[in-house]
Each structure stands twice: as structure tokens, then as C-alpha cells.
């Protein structure tokens, strides 16, 4: 388990403008809303008043429809078009077209020009400097059209392009007329962008690349997409750490802090108190670490101990240096008290804890915190001894996943190694290690590792002056019983659990599913919050919430998955998904660099550790993996018993 | 061993040279690093050699090349930046160093180059071939093997010599050839300084051809070199430590060739991404893109390649116009306008 990327839900005006401007359709807006003041731009009007009056920004998007379908967005008071473009489309949220769309199209006749997503795509491309200047698509011949229709995947296209789905337009038509000009792909196996990059002759001819591939390119041996592997894309998109830090500095400096007196009043006089620090607001964000802090808070609450959580009010990619502004968010028993300067937090705590009481603390992540300010705050509350959790390896490197350039486990080599020299995180590694060293020098720290393998690795690759170290797993399997398994023969079911991200190994699953898509021996399942049609896998929506903490395990069990591919690129300190899979009776299939997952799956009763992605493919090729079928394995299912986190360590 | 390492470039390549010298300084703080510049700083750019990551600055105009302006005019930017390597290395043999190493500005050291010093104990000349393993794929043969056959077996982005014996003899010979025959003229057997070195195994003794795949890794040999990053932090090429990389053709062309031959060997892209970050940090925005002071006549009009070729082929013009960069009455430029067309 590791820190998940923090998300700031509150949009800034500049961000709203940047995100919606390219997708906003001014012609549509002016044509439909004839009452606009003549001297006011349509986008300006929409942003300032229009959306709150239920006016739609483009023919394919209904403000009212979006807010009705998603009451949480309506309740948050967030501008819906921005929300959809920034978050909603990635979360698989539905949209409906404007009720004015039909009238508008009838009025203007259909032409590509009103489709503002062209502008959107152009702006997106311009940002990465790769956009070619293509403005119109020549018509296809009947032969080309038939070839395109034969291999076009409408479901794929509509799933990836909800705007097209909402418009009701025929997806092939859309692709042929403008879609390819916007780098939209016709199926999961063909990349418009790659094909045009690899074939400058096709790009120069301004012809439909998919049609070219089907009618000529394929026979000429041209590739439908680059064969550089998903890691090439990850490297190409990697944002320099220095730029990420600069963004955090700017965002933090812009924050307005609340008056210190407010915190003083809100805290009152605290008796028994447990304090936690992490990289974000665990109430607002979900993820493994956040669930751990939530559980820890619940355990202390049961004992009648108050819980105070401190986090950087703006997300940070690294620990904060002393000169960098870092307003802190404060939660008391899950309730947000506001945003305060670190010294204001220390002063308020000093006053609030002047009375007697049991006190304890746990640092779950130092991201966004400055070590001396952190020690000052804890000292102010009378604390000098506490716990530091190894949820990730931030105490060894700024690249806290130990994933060199976000593509390969690095195993924390010497800081002066060639690997660190070429790694995007190399230059900031010392900053991270020294910040943690400072914290460990100021406080008496007991390190808590959620797995033995994590503790051993941490000890072998660092030298922070911890007072003691313990292992406390987040969960364990209890009370085994035979797992559900049907008697009728069926294909082997391999599941992927959770968000389809490279970090968690989605591309490995996708490539495997694509390769064995038509092999009758296998079925591929994806259980998560949002589908990704690039993998031919049956999607099952599963959202783990506080009310349904075992949703993943239950669904996996119902679907009788034979195995789960838990193939994170990074070394996990503790993988909840691996434990959920095992608890549901699915074998855990993983690679050697997955940390706690590999240690867990090394037990033949749990799963299998394969040498690399080549070995994974070979296991499916030969059918060796079929030995992990529920029936052949006589699979067992278990109850997952969670720890009480730091509460288990504090008497 | 007392070593001088130099690179030849114009201000357009200062960013690349900075990255090269920074990496050399990191791995070889004892080497003396020299910049050989055939250019003048652009207006608006504050060139402070003391703040640069090299120890010694040599202007090409100070190499005592006879009729320097006339000689320079005969070359385009690539030709002249390679031609001046000869006079420099020849003259540097008298500067008190045991060895002189040349590295192109678009190379960078990724690890210590100390094995070179060991080899220079037993050899006087070190060269790196473009290819140390043959290709057997048609496209790769056309792109790489046949290309090397046309442009030279050895890549002269690197050469190292002892300043005595065969090393000094090589330096004098290379100096002589490059002063007169350093042109991009493949039909006549020339590809700047490089084709000349095809003769080196025949003309000189004490030559070591470096066949270690960790040296001079570049897009032209990626088809036969696999890069891996070990858990101990070493970067290896076919199992040997990566020493230096040749980042030829930074941009779309280089990217295309790299992708063609690196394929899924993703550490190659990591190394390129690192290099691009270094270049970005080393780039001074006050140097205009593609700047070269000797790319234009005095009145600012660009000098066409054919005008340089005409001048170098006509001794009468060279005698009539000893400063061909001049504009105005009686200039080569004026002659071209009236008679040269």
C-alpha cells in the first residue's frame, strides 16, 4: 500500500477557465441564449452566471442533466462542466446532451465546425507540442468506409468519448468526419497518434490513418500502434519533480489561512488525545492509507480519546523545505477546523493540552510537512515519543514508490548510482532522506511496518535513527473455509481489482487480456469504480465505501474469480487488494518486485510469483496457470480481520 | 595520467557542451576540460567563461590557421566544427598533457571513463566504431551498417590519443587532412573528419578499437545493444557498464531512430528523458535558436552552402576575396550578385 495521489477538489478560477474554455461552444451558446448582453462574451457569461441559471455550455452537455444525475456534485456547488472535464469523465459519470441540441443542429445544419471538442483536442495537443495542423478530413471511398466499419469498435469508441455518445451521432460517422483528426482511436488496437507519428507519409497526405492501415498499411507490414510498451508512454508523460514542487509552492502560497484564534477556540481544552499526520485529509479522500487513518481514529474514539489530524492544506509531492509556505489543515475527530500556519497550530495545541491526559501520535506520511515544524507541533502537545508508519518508502527517497522514473522498481540503490542520476526523483532524494532524519533526531520514533518484508528492506536500505521497530500487518486472513466453486466446467477467470493505473499494473493486465482475448480457456474481469475499454475484460462496478468495506471481496467471491492479477510496478508495503483477493478464494498472481504481495503470494496456498511479464505470458500460453483454478486448487476463502493500527500499539 | 578532454562546438550547442562537461567533471574532476568554439557570442548573451563548467577556452580563430577567414568560409558549421578538431589536437600535444581526448558536445558520461586511462597505458590511439556487432535485419543493415560504410567505420564523436609516439603522429596527420579536406562530400570519399579515420588501422600502430558496448551508445547501434538498470544502481549495456552515450540528433529525427531500434527497451527512453531535462536546464534563452556568427555575411544575409562550395573550389576567388564575409563594394558578396549567378 502506498500514498495515493492527492486530489484537490476545489477548482481555481484559472483552472476552470483553462479546462472549460477549449470545450465551450460559443456559437451554440450565442445561438440558443439570445438574451446575452451584446458586450459580454458567452464564456464569461456562462462562468459568471449561466451555469447557475441552468444554461448549457455545449450541445452535448446538459448542466441540469449532470447535476440531477450526480447530486453529490450539485451539493458541492461545483461548476458541472469543469467537473465533468476534470474528473467526471475519468470517473465514468454519465452525461446527457443539452435539450437545445436538436434545435441548434436543425438551425445550423450539421458541420464539424460547431463541435468545440475539436478545439479541445487541439488545445490539448498544443500543450504537449505534438499537434499536427490538420483541419479537414477528405471523404473515404466506399471500399475504405467498408473496411473501417468492419473493424471499428463502436462500444469502445462511445465509452472513451462520452461526448459522442451523448450527441447520439453515429460513432463511425464521427470518427470518419472529425474523430481521427482529434486523435480519437477507432478500437483498442489502433492508435491514430502512433500511426501518424510512425508514418510521416500518411500524416503528410492528410488521409484517414485507420483507413490507410486497413487498405494498405497492414499489407505493407506497418504497425497499428507503436510497439514500445506502456513504459514508453509513462516516461514520455513524466513531469519533472522540480515542476511538481513549484506547483505545490505556488498553490500553497496562494492559500489564505484562518485566524489563529479560531483554532484556539475550536480545540478548547483537550484531555486524552491521539494525533496523526499524513499527506491529506483522510475524510475527503479515499485510498488505503486514508482507510488506515480512519480505522485508527475509530479505535481511539472507542476508547474515548480525541483524534487530531494534521495535513498539508494543499497537496505536496515531497516533504516541505523550511522556506516553503505550508499551511496545515486540521481535523478534530474528523471535523474540519480550518487552515492554519504551523506555528499557530503549535501555539493552539500548547494551550489546549495544558491539562492532564494520555497523549500519543503517529506519522503516516511526512509529504507536505516540514520536519522541524512537525516536531515543534508535537512537542507543543507534550509529545516527544511516537510512531512512524512505513506505508511507503518516502523515508528512503522522494520517489516514495521506489519506482525509477515511474516505470521500474529501483530497490533504493546508492544515491550516487547511475540509476539515481537518470531518475527524475534522484535530485530530490537527499532532501527527503535528510528531512526524515531530522524528524527522527527530534523525536523518539518507533517505526511500524505493515509487513516483515517492508521492515527488512527499509532497514537494509536506510540508516534513520529509529528508537525501535515493530511489524503490525493491516489485516490477516482468519477462519478458512472452502471457497465457492461451481461444478460446471468454465474458462479460467482472471480478475484485475481497482483503478486501471500503470502503478497498479493495469497495462500488464490489459496487454494480457488483449493477447488472450479469443482464447477459450480464459475470461478476464475488471472490478472497480470505472471501466477502461482498452482491455477486453468484463467490467463489474465495485466501490468500496465505509458502509461496504468488503465490497471487493464479496464481488470477487460471487464471480468465482480463479485468480487476481496483482502486478503493481512498485514494491507494496501492504496490499489490501492482495488480501481481499485471497480472502475471496482467488489465487494471487504477481511479479517479483511487488514487495509484500510477492512475500504473501510466495505461499503456494495463496498464489504464485512469476519471474517477469514474459513468464506471465508463458504461463497463459502453456496453460500452466490453469493449475490455479478454484477447483484444482481446492480454494479456501477467509475472513479478513483488520488491525486497530496505532491503537494496537498504545496501551 | 594528465588528461585534457575537449569538445568543439558553436554557441547553439553550448547547452549540450555544458551537460557533457558537467558529467565529465562529476566523474573525472582531475581532467582538464577545454571548450573549442568556432563562433562569436550572440548579442544579448553574457558569456562568462569562468562560470562555465570547463577549465580552458580556445577560440578557433586562435589556432593560427592560415588565412583563417578564407579557410573558415569554405566550410559550413558542421564541417568547420569538425575541421578545427585536427589543429587543436595536434597543438595540444605540446601542452604538457599525457593524453588528449575529444568528445562531441552531444555526448555525456554516465559513469567513470577510467578504463580509457588504462588502455592509454598500452595504446596510443583509441577509437570507437559505430557498430561492434553486425546487424542481420534488412532495415537495420540499411540504416546502420550501410550508413557507417558511407560515413565512416569509426564514430569521431570520440577519439583519444597519447601525446607522444603514434598518438602524436596521428594528430599531425589528422591536422593536415582536416585543414584541407574536411567536407561533407561523400561522392568524393569525404564525410568531414570521419572517413579519414577508416585509414587509421592501416596507417598507424598502437591503435585500440574499443569494442566494449558501454562506450558511444547511440541510435545507430541500439539495434544490437540492450540497456538494463540493475538493482544495485548500475546501468548496463549488453552486460557491460554504460560509460558514455551519444545523444545524436536531439529532436524528432533522433526520437524516431531511437524508437525504431530501442523498441521496448525502456531504460533507453529513461536516459533520453534525463538528457532532455539536463539540456533544458542548461539552455540559455538569450542564445537564438540555430545561432552561428559565421553563418551570414557582414550585412546579415545568410551564406548559402553553394556560395561556400563555389568559393572553396575557386582559388582565384580566394585570392581576390581574402575576407569573403565582407559586404559592400568590392566584396565577394557583391561579385556573387553580379557575376556569380
Amino acid at each position: 500500500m502506498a500514498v495515493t495521489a492527492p486530489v484537490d477538489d476545489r477548482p481555481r478560477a484559472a483552472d476552470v477557465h483553462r479546462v472549460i474554455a477549449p470545450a465551450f461552444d460559443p456559437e451554440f451558446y450565442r445561438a440558443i441564449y439570445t438574451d446575452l448582453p451584446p458586450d459580454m462574451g458567452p464564456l464569461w457569461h456562462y462562468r459568471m452566471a449561466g451555469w447557475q441559471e441552468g444554461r448549457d455550455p455545449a450541445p452535448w452537455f446538459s448542466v441540469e442533466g449532470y447535476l440531477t444525475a450526480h447530486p453529490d456534485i450539485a451539493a458541492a456547488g461545483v461548476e458541472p462542466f469543469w467537473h465533468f472535464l476534470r474528473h467526471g469523465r475519468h470517473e465514468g459519470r454519465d452525461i446527457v446532451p443539452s435539450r437545445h441540441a436538436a434545435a441548434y443542429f436543425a438551425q445550423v445544419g450539421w458541420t464539424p465546425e460547431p463541435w468545440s471538442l475539436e478545439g479541445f483536442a487541439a488545445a490539448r495537443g498544443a500543450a504537449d507540442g505534438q499537434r499536427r495542423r490538420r483541419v479537414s478530413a477528405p471523404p473515404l471511398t466506399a471500399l475504405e468506409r467498408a473496411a473501417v466499419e468492419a473493424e471499428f469498435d463502436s462500444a469502445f469508441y462511445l465509452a472513451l468519448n462520452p461526448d459522442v455518445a451523448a450527441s447520439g451521432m453515429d460513432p463511425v460517422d464521427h470518427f470518419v468526419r472529425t474523430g481521427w483528426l482529434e486523435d480519437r482511436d477507432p478500437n483498442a488496437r489502433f492508435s491514430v497518434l502512433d500511426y501518424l507519428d510512425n508514418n510521416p507519409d500518411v500524416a503528410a497526405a492528410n488521409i484517414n490513418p485507420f483507413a490507410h492501415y486497413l487498405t494498405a498499411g497492414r499489407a505493407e507490414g506497418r504497425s497499428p500502434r507503436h510497439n514500445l510498451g506502456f513504459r514508453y508512454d509513462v516516461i514520455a508523460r513524466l513531469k519533472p519533480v522540480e515542476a511538481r514542487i513549484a506547483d505545490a509552492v505556488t498553490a500553497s502560497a496562494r492559500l489564505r489561512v484562518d485566524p489563529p484564534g479560531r483554532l484556539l477556540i475550536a480545540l478548547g481544552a483537550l484531555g486524552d488525545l491521539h494525533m496523526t499526520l499524513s499527506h491529506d485529509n483522510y475524510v475527503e479522500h479515499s485510498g488505503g492509507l486514508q482507510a488506515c487513518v480512519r480505522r485508527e481514529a475509530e479505535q481511539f474514539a472507542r476508547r474515548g480519546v480525541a483524534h487530531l489530524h494534521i495535513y498539508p492544506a494543499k497537496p505536496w509531492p515531497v516533504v516541505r523545505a523550511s522556506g516553503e509556505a505550508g499551511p496545515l489543515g486540521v481535523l478534530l475527530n474528523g471535523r474540519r477546523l480550518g487552515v492554519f500556519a504551523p506555528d499557530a497550530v503549535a501555539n493552539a495545541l500548547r494551550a489546549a493540552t495544558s491539562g492532564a491526559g494520555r497523549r500519543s501520535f503517529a506519522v503516516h506520511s511526512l509529504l507536505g510537512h516540514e520536519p522541524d515544524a512537525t516536531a515543534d507541533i508535537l512537542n507543543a502537545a507534550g509529545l516527544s515519543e511516537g510512531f512512524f508508519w512505513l506505508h511507503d518508502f518516502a523515508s528512503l527517497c522522494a520517489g516514495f514508490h521506489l519506482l525509477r522514473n515511474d516505470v521500474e522498481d529501483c530497490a533504493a540503490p546508492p544515491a550516487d548510482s547511475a540509476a539515481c542520476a537518470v531518475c527524475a526523483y534522484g535530485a530530490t532524494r537527499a532532501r527527503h532522506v535528510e528531512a526524515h532524519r531530522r524528524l527522527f533526531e527530534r523525536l523518539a520514533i518507533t517505526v511500524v511496518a505493515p509487513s516483515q518484508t517492508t521492515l527488512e528492506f527499509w532497514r537494509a536500505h536506510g540508516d534513520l535513527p529509529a528508537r525501535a521497530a515493530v511489524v503490525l500487518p493491516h489485516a490477516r486472513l482468519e477462519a478458512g473455509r472452502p471457497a465457492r466453486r461451481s461444478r460446471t466446467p468454465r474458462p479460467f477467470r482472471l480478475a484485475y481489482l481497482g483503478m486501471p493505473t500503470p502503478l497498479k499494473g493495469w497495462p500488464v493486465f490489459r496487454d494480457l487480456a488483449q493477447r488472450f482475448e479469443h482464447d477459450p480457456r480464459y475470461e478476464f474481469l475488471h472490478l472497480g469504480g470505472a471501466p477502461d475499454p482498452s482491455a477486453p475484460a468484463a467490467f463489474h462496478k465495485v466501490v468500496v465505501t465505509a458502509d461496504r468495506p468488503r465490497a471487493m471481496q464479496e464481488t470477487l467471491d460471487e464471480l468465482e474469480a480463479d485468480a487476481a492479477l496483482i502486478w503493481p510496478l512498485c514494491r507494496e508495503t501492504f496490499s489490501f487488494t492482495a488480501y481481499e483477493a485471497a480472502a475471496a478464494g482467488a489465487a494471487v498472481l504477481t511479479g517479483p518486485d511487488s514487495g509484500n504481495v510477492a512475500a504473501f503470494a510466495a505461499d503456494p496456498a495463496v498464489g504464485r510469483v512469476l519471474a517477469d511479464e514474459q513468464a506471465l505470458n508463458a504461463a497463459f500460453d502453456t496453460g500452466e496457470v490453469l493449475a490455479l483454478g478454484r477447483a484444482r486448487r481446492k480454494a479456501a476463502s477467509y475472513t479478513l480481520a483488520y488491525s486497530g493500527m496505532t491503537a494496537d500499539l498504545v496501551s | 595520467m594528465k588528461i585534457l578532454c575537449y569538445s568543439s562546438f558553436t554557441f547553439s550547442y553550448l547547452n549540450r557542451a555544458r551537460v557533457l562537461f558537467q558529467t565529465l567533471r562529476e566523474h573525472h574532476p582531475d581532467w582538464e576540460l577545454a571548450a573549442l568554439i568556432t563562433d562569436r557570442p550572440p548579442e544579448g548573451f553574457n558569456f562568462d567563461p569562468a562560470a562555465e563548467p570547463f577549465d580552458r577556452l580556445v577560440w578557433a580563430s586562435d589556432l593560427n590557421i592560415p588565412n583563417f577567414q578564407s579557410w573558415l568560409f569554405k566550410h559550413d558549421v558542421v564541417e568547420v566544427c569538425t575541421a578545427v578538431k585536427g589543429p587543436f589536437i595536434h597543438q595540444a600535444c605540446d601542452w604538457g598533457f599525457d593524453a588528449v581526448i575529444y568528445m562531441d558536445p552531444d555526448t555525456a558520461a554516465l559513469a567513470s571513463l577510467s578504463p580509457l586511462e588504462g588502455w592509454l597505458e598500452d595504446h596510443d590511439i583509441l577509437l570507437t566504431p559505430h557498430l561492434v556487432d553486425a546487424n542481420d535485419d534488412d532495415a537495420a543493415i540499411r540504416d546502420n551498417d550501410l550508413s557507417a560504410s558511407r560515413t565512416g567505420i569509426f564514430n569521431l564523436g570520440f577519439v583519444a590519443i597519447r601525446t607522444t609516439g603514434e598518438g602524436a603522429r596521428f594528430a599531425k596527420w589528422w591536422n593536415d587532412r582536416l585543414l584541407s579536406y574536411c567536407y561533407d562530400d561523400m561522392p568524393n570519399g569525404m564525410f568531414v573528419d570521419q572517413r579519414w579515420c577508416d585509414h587509421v588501422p592501416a596507417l598507424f600502430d598502437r591503435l585500440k578499437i574499443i569494442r566494449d558496448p558501454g562506450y558511444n551508445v547511440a541510435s545507430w547501434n541500439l539495434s544490437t545493444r540492450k540497456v538494463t538498470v540493475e538493482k544495485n544502481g548500475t546501468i548496463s549495456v549488453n552486460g557491460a557498464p554504460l560509460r558514455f552515450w551519444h545523444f545524436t540528433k536531439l529532436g524528432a529525427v533522433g526520437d524516431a531512430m531511437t524508437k525504431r531500434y530501442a523498441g521496448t527497451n525502456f531504460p533507453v527512453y529513461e536516459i533520453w528523458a534525463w538528457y532532455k531535462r539536463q539540456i533544458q536546464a542548461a539552455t540559455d534563452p538569450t542564445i537564438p535558436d540555430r545561432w552561428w556568427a559565421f553563418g551570414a555575411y557582414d550585412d546579415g544575409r545568410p551564406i548559402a552552402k553553394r556560395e561556400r562550395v563555389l568559393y572553396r573550389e575557386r582559388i582565384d576567388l580566394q585570392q581576390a576575396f581574402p575576407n569573403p564575409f565582407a559586404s559592400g563594394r568590392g566584396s565577394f558578396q557583391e561579385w556573387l550578385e553580379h557575376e556569380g549567378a
Side-chain angles (χ1 to χ4, degrees):
Chain A
M1 188 192 70
V3 174
T4 50
V7 176
D8 180 14
D9 284 337
R10 285 171 295 176
R12 294 193 305 275
D15 187 52
V16 171
H17 183 86
R18 193 172 58 78
V19 169
I20 71 171
F24 183 80
D25 190 339
E27 282 81 8
F28 163 81
Y29 201 82
R30 272 209 185 283
I32 295 300
Y33 306 115
T34 51
D35 58 335
L36 296 192
D39 57 346
M40 185 178 264
L43 176 58
W44 179 254
H45 183 272
Y46 172 78
R47 283 187 52 210
M48 292 302 113
W51 71 271
Q52 286 157 321
E53 297 162 357
R55 301 181 194 232
D56 301 328
W60 53 270
F61 188 90
S62 162
V63 163
E64 193 185 331
Y66 195 72
L67 295 177
T68 305
H70 311 293
D72 56 332
I73 308 302
V78 178
E79 194 275 295
F81 197 41
W82 170 86
H83 184 274
F84 172 71
L85 294 167
R86 171 64 88 206
H87 299 297
R89 65 199 182 103
H90 301 299
E91 296 163 357
R93 295 197 187 239
D94 294 333
I95 59 171
V96 291
S98 166
R99 61 193 168 90
H100 304 293
Y104 175 64
F105 287 131
Q107 183 186 329
V108 298
W110 193 90
T111 64
E113 281 71 32
W115 284 92
S116 56
L117 273 190
E118 271 186 43
F120 178 57
R124 187 183 51 184
D128 59 31
Q130 292 177 343
R131 186 70 191 172
R132 285 168 296 275
R133 289 284 150 214
R134 288 173 279 139
V135 291
S136 65
L140 297 185
T141 64
L143 181 75
E144 287 170 333
R145 172 84 191 197
V148 167
E149 282 180 355
E151 300 204 24
F152 188 87
D153 183 342
S154 294
F156 170 88
Y157 197 79
L158 293 174
L160 277 190
N161 302 289
D163 54 319
V164 182
S167 74
M169 189 177 171
D170 176 71
V172 179
D173 263 347
H174 185 273
F175 173 73
V176 167
R177 284 172 190 251
T178 62
W180 71 270
L181 295 166
E182 299 154 0
D183 301 331
R184 304 186 196 225
D185 296 334
N187 64 34
R189 293 171 190 274
F190 185 90
S191 164
V192 167
L193 202 55
D194 290 355
Y195 197 78
L196 292 173
D197 274 348
N198 292 341
N199 299 287
D201 54 332
V202 179
N206 193 33
I207 51 179
N208 186 310
F210 189 48
H212 179 272
Y213 170 71
L214 297 174
T215 56
R218 182 154 56 190
E220 294 162 5
R222 304 193 196 215
S223 176
R225 55 185 315 139
H226 71 53
N227 293 315
L228 307 177
F230 70 88
R231 289 180 176 87
Y232 168 82
D233 295 317
V234 174
I235 294 163
R237 285 199 304 262
L238 194 63
K239 184 172 182 177
V241 179
E242 294 74 15
R244 294 183 229 172
I245 294 173
D247 288 349
V249 168
T250 307
S252 296
R254 214 181 273 142
L255 265 183
R256 286 173 59 181
V257 296
D258 294 311
R262 183 187 293 180
L263 184 60
L264 210 58
I265 295 163
L267 289 181
L270 293 166
D272 294 345
L273 174 69
H274 179 65
M275 287 180 61
T276 54
L277 289 99
S278 85
H279 68 300
D280 74 358
N281 179 337
Y282 72 94
V283 176
E284 285 183 1
H285 300 123
S286 59
L289 191 153
Q290 293 84 349
C292 286
V293 178
R294 202 173 295 126
R295 211 163 50 248
E296 185 163 309
E298 286 164 6
Q299 293 296 321
F300 279 101
R302 278 184 201 157
R303 299 180 187 179
V305 177
H307 172 229
L308 191 79
H309 183 70
I310 297 174
Y311 61 96
K314 283 285 175 186
W316 274 75
V318 292
V319 291
R320 207 159 43 72
S322 58
E324 294 164 343
L328 298 171
V330 181
L331 299 174
L332 181 62
N333 298 323
R335 193 168 59 85
R336 191 170 176 278
L337 302 185
V339 172
F340 305 95
D343 56 349
V345 176
N347 291 336
L349 267 172
R350 191 171 293 113
T353 56
S354 57
R358 292 174 295 168
R359 310 274 153 76
S360 57
F361 79 83
V363 177
H364 287 276
S365 171
L366 204 59
L367 292 190
H369 296 279
E370 193 275 313
D372 277 310
T374 301
D376 289 344
I377 288 169
L378 293 168
N379 288 164
L383 288 160
S384 59
E385 294 179 22
F387 299 92
F388 179 91
W389 278 87
L390 297 181
H391 291 294
D392 53 41
F393 294 103
S395 48
L396 298 182
C397 183
F400 47 81
H401 295 305
L402 296 185
L403 205 54
R404 193 191 62 257
N405 290 316
D406 288 351
V407 289
E408 188 176 44
D409 172 66
C410 69
D416 61 354
S417 65
C420 286
V422 301
C423 178
Y425 300 100
T428 35
R429 184 173 178 185
R431 164 187 178 139
H432 246 238
V433 174
E434 293 317 309
H436 283 82
R437 188 182 307 286
R438 182 73 183 148
L439 186 79
F440 279 55
E441 285 169 352
R442 292 265 327 249
L443 302 163
I445 296 279
T446 296
V447 165
V448 193
S451 57
Q452 184 66 36
T453 183
T454 296
L455 183 60
E456 285 169 10
F457 182 89
W458 186 80
R459 277 182 162 150
H461 292 84
D463 61 352
L464 297 185
R467 190 184 64 167
V470 295
V471 174
L472 177 62
H474 295 327
R476 59 182 192 280
L477 304 178
E478 278 185 350
R481 60 194 172 278
R484 183 200 305 244
R485 46 182 190 264
S486 62
R487 294 182 188 284
T488 43
R490 57 163 179 76
F492 180 90
R493 290 178 185 152
L494 181 75
Y496 176 91
L497 316 182
M499 287 274 285
T501 64
L503 184 67
K504 298 294 179 186
W506 170 258
V508 178
F509 176 79
R510 178 198 61 203
D511 293 352
L512 193 71
Q514 284 186 358
R515 184 158 174 220
F516 294 96
E517 180 182 2
H518 302 297
D519 190 322
R521 295 175 294 173
Y522 303 114
E523 278 179 7
F524 295 90
L525 315 172
H526 174 204
L527 284 64
D532 179 340
S534 64
F539 175 71
H540 298 270
K541 191 171 177 97
V542 179
V543 181
V544 176
T545 60
D547 298 338
R548 283 196 69 204
R550 291 184 166 76
M552 188 64 80
Q553 182 185 339
E554 287 159 9
T555 312
L556 205 54
D557 189 38
E558 281 162 23
L559 293 168
E560 292 183 25
D562 293 291
L565 188 72
I566 316 282
W567 200 284
L569 297 194
C570 68
R571 175 180 296 271
E572 297 275 20
T573 57
F574 187 92
S575 166
F576 280 107
T577 49
Y579 276 73
E580 285 166 340
V588 174
L589 209 50
T590 192
D593 294 333
S594 56
N596 162 251
V597 186
F600 182 51
D603 178 352
V606 172
R608 191 75 53 87
V609 184
L610 298 169
D612 51 26
E613 287 150 40
Q614 217 175 343
L616 175 68
N617 275 289
F620 278 74
D621 249 339
T622 59
E624 182 197 333
V625 75
L626 298 171
L628 297 177
R630 283 184 172 236
R632 284 174 64 178
R633 214 165 19 97
K634 297 189 173 57
S637 60
Y638 303 87
T639 301
L640 208 47
Y642 294 100
S643 84
M645 297 297 298
T646 310
D648 290 355
L649 303 169
V650 175
S651 54
Chain B
M1 189 176 283
K2 200 173 167 205
I3 289 183
L4 174 71
C5 183
Y6 76 109
S7 192
S8 171
F9 54 94
T10 65
F11 282 101
S12 293
Y13 267 54
L14 179 62
N15 52 2
R16 290 154 174 90
R18 283 171 170 170
V19 174
L20 166 66
F21 288 131
Q22 282 160 4
T23 61
L24 288 173
R25 265 206 174 155
E26 186 189 338
H27 295 291
H28 294 283
D30 54 326
W31 288 9
E32 182 160 334
L33 306 176
L36 170 57
I37 300 181
T38 311
D39 204 350
R40 283 194 292 258
E43 249 180 72
F45 168 57
N46 180 27
F47 183 47
D48 176 9
E52 297 292 339
F54 46 75
D55 308 299
R56 183 189 288 239
L57 169 63
V58 176
W59 298 102
S61 51
D62 293 336
L63 288 172
N64 300 316
I65 295 169
N67 305 317
F68 181 68
Q69 283 183 313
S70 172
W71 178 83
L72 196 160
F73 191 88
K74 297 175 193 171
H75 303 81
D76 66 21
V77 64
V78 175
E79 291 166 344
V80 83
C81 282
T82 46
V84 294
K85 287 156 66 177
F88 183 102
I89 203 167
H90 172 50
Q91 293 173 34
C93 285
D94 294 330
W95 293 350
F97 295 94
D98 298 310
V100 181
I101 297 171
Y102 173 78
M103 294 183 77
D104 264 355
D106 55 357
T107 59
L110 276 296
S112 165
L113 302 176
S114 54
L116 296 177
E117 299 181 32
W119 289 327
L120 285 168
E121 296 289 348
D122 302 321
H123 301 85
D124 284 359
I125 306 165
L126 308 180
L127 286 173
T128 49
H130 282 105
L131 306 173
V132 296
D133 293 294
N135 285 292
D136 50 15
D137 168 76
D138 178 64
I141 290 169
R142 287 174 190 279
D143 277 345
N144 302 319
D145 303 40
L146 287 172
S147 168
S149 298
R150 286 192 298 274
T151 63
I153 295 303
F154 302 102
N155 178 261
L156 266 292
F158 168 87
V159 59
I161 60 161
R162 288 300 297 253
T163 52
T164 54
E166 287 293 85
R169 199 163 74 83
F170 163 84
K172 173 69 170 69
W173 167 81
W174 209 35
N175 166 74
D176 294 350
R177 290 296 162 275
L178 300 193
L179 284 177
S180 302
Y181 310 97
C182 186
Y183 302 120
D184 179 355
D185 184 5
M186 282 197 247
N188 286 308
M190 280 180 280
F191 183 67
V192 291
D193 61 338
Q194 209 160 255
R195 279 297 298 275
W196 284 115
C197 286
D198 287 359
H199 292 285
V200 171
L203 298 177
F204 299 97
D205 288 325
R206 297 178 63 79
L207 161 71
K208 176 173 174 60
I209 296 172
I210 299 176
R211 300 194 64 244
D212 182 320
Y215 291 80
N216 215 343
V217 185
S219 56
W220 54 73
N221 53 39
L222 276 177
S223 61
T224 56
R225 298 192 191 188
K226 178 158 189 205
V227 183
T228 49
V229 186
E230 319 293 343
K231 298 285 188 205
N232 66 9
T234 308
I235 304 179
S236 301
V237 186
N238 292 356
L242 168 61
R243 303 290 178 176
F244 79 88
W245 198 285
H246 198 152
F247 295 93
T248 194
K249 293 190 171 60
L250 174 70
V253 177
D255 286 350
M257 291 307 283
T258 299
K259 283 191 272 189
R260 183 176 300 174
Y261 290 110
T264 57
N265 188 195
F266 62 87
V268 171
Y269 307 119
E270 293 183 64
I271 291 166
W272 261 103
W274 163 79
Y275 186 67
K276 288 174 181 174
R277 290 196 299 270
Q278 304 306 305
I279 291 296
Q280 194 173 13
T283 299
D284 190 313
T286 60
I287 299 176
D289 197 30
R290 307 178 79 84
W291 165 261
W292 187 38
F294 303 117
Y297 294 98
D298 288 349
D299 66 359
R301 194 174 65 80
I303 301 168
K305 179 70 188 273
R306 61 184 158 73
E307 293 163 3
R308 292 184 189 274
V309 173
L310 178 70
Y311 183 80
R312 85 180 178 216
E313 287 175 345
R314 293 266 303 268
I315 296 174
D316 59 328
L317 293 176
Q318 295 165 28
Q319 289 168 342
F321 306 106
N323 176 13
F325 292 97
S327 297
R329 286 180 68 96
S331 67
F332 174 59
Q333 189 184 26
E334 186 196 53
W335 178 87
L336 277 171
E337 280 165 17
H338 294 102
E339 302 185 48

